[in-house]
Amino acid sequence: NPIYLDYSRYAMQIEQYLEHFPREQLLVVTSEELRGRRAETVAKVYEFIGVDPGFAPDELERDFYQTKDRAVRSPVPYWLRKQLKARLPATRRFKELENNALSALRKVTGTRAATPAAVAVPDEVRDRIMAELADDVRRLRAHLGPDFDGWGIA
């Protein structure tokens, strides 16, 4: 599905902003920078937006939204949830009931959300994706500088 590749076309996304904003108004930060040099990267962002770069929020080192923290996918089939929500006036209440039931089930069974299994991407698919993204990665280097490794894409 081409839309999934477009999510990974970062140069294309940056260039769309540059059609409307001057380059000096755009700061590009990689997730690797934010993960590996968090305090330094946050200070760089603060300085860019005119906030005291010496400010450090209390939860600066906390990792939010990790895969292991994702909510459990509902065992209630989508079509059934949709029908129930259409019949129940308080859909928020239905979601609360569903979440409470799942929470109770986890307590009884002693289980948590299943860790997603690693997906093996066949070499030919990986090669095709890398070929599709190569031009975008080359253009992305112009925005990120020579230290950007291109995630192994030439």
Side-chain angles (χ1 to χ4, degrees):
N1 187 338
I3 197 163
Y4 294 117
L5 281 173
D6 286 346
Y7 288 130
S8 297
R9 295 183 199 277
Y10 299 111
M12 177 192 75
Q13 294 173 40
I14 290 168
E15 290 159 357
Q16 290 177 5
Y17 283 98
L18 292 175
E19 290 176 13
H20 303 281
F21 300 96
R23 177 66 181 100
E24 60 272 3
Q25 288 186 343
L26 183 67
L27 175 67
V28 181
V29 176
T30 66
S31 60
E32 291 86 0
E33 283 179 280
L34 195 53
R35 227 178 285 114
R37 298 184 313 276
R38 186 171 300 176
E40 176 186 326
T41 304
V42 168
K44 180 169 119 178
V45 171
Y46 286 166
E47 184 173 14
F48 183 79
I49 63 173
V51 173
D52 175 12
F55 173 74
D58 293 337
E59 294 189 329
L60 180 63
E61 295 304 320
R62 180 174 168 212
D63 288 330
F64 291 87
Y65 308 113
Q66 293 182 333
T67 301
K68 68 179 183 60
D69 298 331
R70 282 190 188 160
V72 177
R73 188 174 188 163
S74 175
V76 179
Y78 173 75
W79 63 269
L80 179 58
R81 288 194 326 260
K82 188 174 175 182
Q83 287 180 354
L84 289 171
K85 286 180 182 182
R87 292 192 172 95
L88 295 173
T91 57
R92 179 182 291 167
R93 182 70 182 137
F94 173 75
K95 186 65 179 162
E96 289 172 10
L97 291 170
E98 182 182 26
N99 287 342
N100 290 342
L102 289 171
S103 180
L105 182 62
R106 282 193 300 273
K107 285 179 184 173
V108 170
T109 62
T111 60
R112 280 201 36 86
T115 303
V119 176
V121 178
D123 289 340
E124 62 272 7
V125 173
R126 182 181 310 279
D127 292 344
R128 194 169 120 221
I129 290 170
M130 290 173 68
E132 286 282 334
L133 294 176
D135 179 61
D136 191 86
V137 169
R138 276 191 289 280
R139 294 191 336 264
L140 184 58
R141 280 192 178 90
H143 300 293
L144 295 178
D147 292 339
F148 174 63
D149 71 357
W151 305 297
I153 299 175

